């Protein structure tokens, strides 16, 4: 009996030992896996909070006009060149797919650019893509051939810090005017320098609804140039630009060809210059050299924004201008803006018209960083919109930015130019006349509020500046 009992015990032990062992092994494995998952997930989620990776077109707390959720078509089978390139680079940057790279994400700006190159080389080496490439119109092909390049050297530097004869100033400049120009537009620059783009201390003017005290602010200015060859211009004027730079100290020129599709380079290279060489200005105005800006009112408007935002915390997402909702690419072959389906598919993101837009210096530095993860796009203001979406930020529309001009009737109204911050397409002569005009009518027009949307101009609505 006892023997039999013993044998039973032995059998039990024989059977149970592996059982227990397996159970322990199982528990151990489960624990290890769950711990690892946890640490991976926390790594990933901390990266999702970093500015380097954001879900496509998601809008945190977005209250503007309704926009499509994602702007470009992200189908694997889409053979549009830009979409393929961006998909490839997004894959390289995605911390969910590359958790091992994720802890270096924040300090890898040089790596960023190499990832752009990597994705470019990988995608353009594919047969399917080479076919698409060959079918693109000449101008787009020219763009696409050089779109991975951004390291163009500076040919002419502005004077001192941030250009235009910076002197000892008691406070940081409020606005840096960064104006896209081309070599032959001497007259435009001349007009701007003596009117709305004048540097130094500039007085702000009261906006109806703003607080009594307005004061003024320091202004800086820089003109942005590519290079135009003597063959294109029919003559060599580079010595004139050098002389202009010497005299005014407000020329920033890079060594790339100054064409319409290369304008985006003026954004990314300007952001780089601004982030490294000109860190003081609180706001950047980026616009064309054929606009009229109501600088005294812009000063008051921005000081007011600053005050409002200081109470709310941050200016790092501030961008204001003429915001264009859900635009689609221009598919008309003869248009200057023509973008064929072989290059880009999808809608455009919300963006502020490039004629004139204002954003905070902090945002300019964030745009500089994020732009290293986004392939260049030939339309400059659309590209800025793409960068904004990746920052999870959105431009704010203000009807006082008229990048598409007044209606004739509205322009004829008295004090119309006192109600705007910017209007596009004014000749140098008109700019000079308008400047003299708003100064001479300042007294009688000082109670005019900033322009509001006609639809929303109910009597109860306060002016947008309020
Ligand atoms: C979004 O809105 C919520 C509530 O309205 C607020 O608590 C939160 O701070 C906002 N987030 C951002 C990033 O603005
Ligand atoms: C942009 O500039 C580069 C450098 O000068 C030039 O090679 C390229 O052709 C230009 N791109 C376009 C679209 O004009
Ligand atoms: C931009 O990136 C650099 C280096 O990666 C970092 O030091 C800096 O804080 C970033 N700036 C902003 C505004 O995110
Ligand atoms: C400007 O403000 C004053 C007082 O704040 C008000 O009486 C006047 O009607 C306003 N003008 C306009 C055009 O809104």
């Amino acid at each position: 009996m006892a023997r039999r009992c013993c044998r039973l015990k032995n059998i039990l032990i024989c059977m149970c030992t592996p059982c227990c062992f397996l159970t322990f092994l199982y528990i151990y494995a489960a624990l290890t896996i769950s711990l690892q998952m946890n640490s991976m997930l926390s790594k990933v989620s901390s990266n999702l909070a970093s500015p380097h990776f954001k879900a496509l077109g998601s809008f945190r707390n977005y209250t503007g006009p309704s926009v499509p959720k994602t702007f470009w078509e992200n189908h694997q089978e889409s053979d549009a060149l830009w979409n393929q390139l961006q998909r490839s680079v997004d894959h390289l940057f995605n911390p969910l797919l590359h958790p091992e790279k994720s802890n270096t994400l924040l300090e890898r700006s040089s790596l960023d650019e190499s990832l752009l190159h990597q994705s470019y080389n990988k995608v353009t080496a594919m047969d399917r893509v080479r076919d698409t490439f060959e079918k693109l119109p000449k101008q787009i092909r020219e763009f696409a051939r050089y779109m991975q390049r951004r390291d163009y050297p500076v040919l002419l530097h502005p004077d001192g810090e941030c250009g235009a004869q910076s002197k000892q100033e008691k406070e940081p400049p409020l606005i840096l005017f960064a104006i896209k120009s081309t070599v032959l537009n001497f007259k435009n620059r001349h007009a701007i320098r003596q009117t709305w783009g004048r540097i130094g201390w500039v007085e702000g003017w009261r906006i109806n609804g703003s607080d009594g005290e307005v004061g003024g602010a320091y202004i800086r200015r820089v003109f942005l140039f590519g290079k135009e060859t003597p063959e294109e211009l029919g003559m060599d004027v580079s010595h004139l630009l050098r002389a202009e730079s010497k005299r005014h100290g407000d020329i920033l020129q890079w060594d790339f060809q100054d064409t319409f599709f290369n304008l985006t380079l003026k954004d990314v290279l300007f952001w780089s210059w601004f982030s490294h060489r000109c860190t003081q200005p609180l706001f950047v105005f980026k616009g064309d050299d054929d606009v009229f800006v109501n600088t005294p009112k812009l000063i008051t408007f921005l000081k007011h924004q600053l005050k409002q935002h200081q109470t709310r915390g941050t200016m790092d997402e501030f961008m204001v201008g003429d915001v264009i909702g859900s635009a689609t690419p221009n598919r008309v072959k003869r248009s200057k803006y023509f973008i064929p389906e072989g290059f880009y598919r999808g809608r455009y993101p919300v963006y502020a018209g490039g004629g004139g837009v204002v954003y905070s210096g902090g945002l300019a530095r964030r745009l500089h960083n994020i732009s290293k993860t986004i392939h260049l796009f030939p339309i400059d203001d659309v590209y800025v919109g793409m960068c904004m979406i990746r920052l999870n930020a959105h431009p704010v529309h203000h009807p006082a930015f008229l990048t598409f001009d007044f209606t004739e009737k509205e322009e004829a109204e008295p004090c119309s130019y006192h109600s705007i911050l910017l209007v596009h397409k004014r000749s140098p002569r008109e700019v000079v006349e308008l400047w003299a005009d708003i100064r001479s009518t300042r007294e009688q027009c000082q109670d005019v509020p900033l322009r509001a949307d006609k639809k929303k101009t109910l009597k109860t609505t306060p002016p947008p500046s309020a």
Side-chain angles (χ1 to χ4, degrees), residues 208-209 447-449:
N208 214 23
D447 281 342
V448 169

Side-chain angles (χ1 to χ4, degrees), residues 51-52 105-109 362 365-366 368-369 372:
H52 287 273
L105 259 179
L106 279 171
E107 68 268 22
R108 58 182 232 183
S109 63
R365 286 182 281 276
R366 295 178 69 208
H368 168 58
N369 277 7
K372 292 172 189 167

Side-chain angles (χ1 to χ4, degrees), residues 331-346:
R331 306 291 193 204
V332 180
K333 278 211 176 86
R334 276 174 325 202
S335 165
K336 169 180 170 188
Y337 301 94
F338 174 54
I339 297 291
E341 299 214 326
F343 185 76
Y344 179 83
R345 287 178 77 97

Side-chain angles (χ1 to χ4, degrees), residues 207-226:
I207 294 176
N208 214 23
S210 70
D211 311 338
E213 186 62 46
V214 283
Y218 286 103
I219 303 292
R220 299 275 177 88
R221 176 189 68 228
V222 63
F223 290 102
L224 312 175
F225 292 85

Side-chain angles (χ1 to χ4, degrees), residues 381-400:
D381 42 13
V382 170
Y383 182 73
V384 179
M386 291 172 166
C387 294
M388 287 291 280
I389 286 212
R390 283 304 174 91
L391 287 175
N392 224 338
H394 56 270
V396 176
H397 180 71
H398 197 301

Side-chain angles (χ1 to χ4, degrees), residues 1-11:
M1 184 72 190
R3 234 201 208 154
R4 211 198 247 168
C5 192
C6 220
R7 255 177 68 194
L8 204 71
K9 216 163 115 195
N10 272 346
I11 290 171

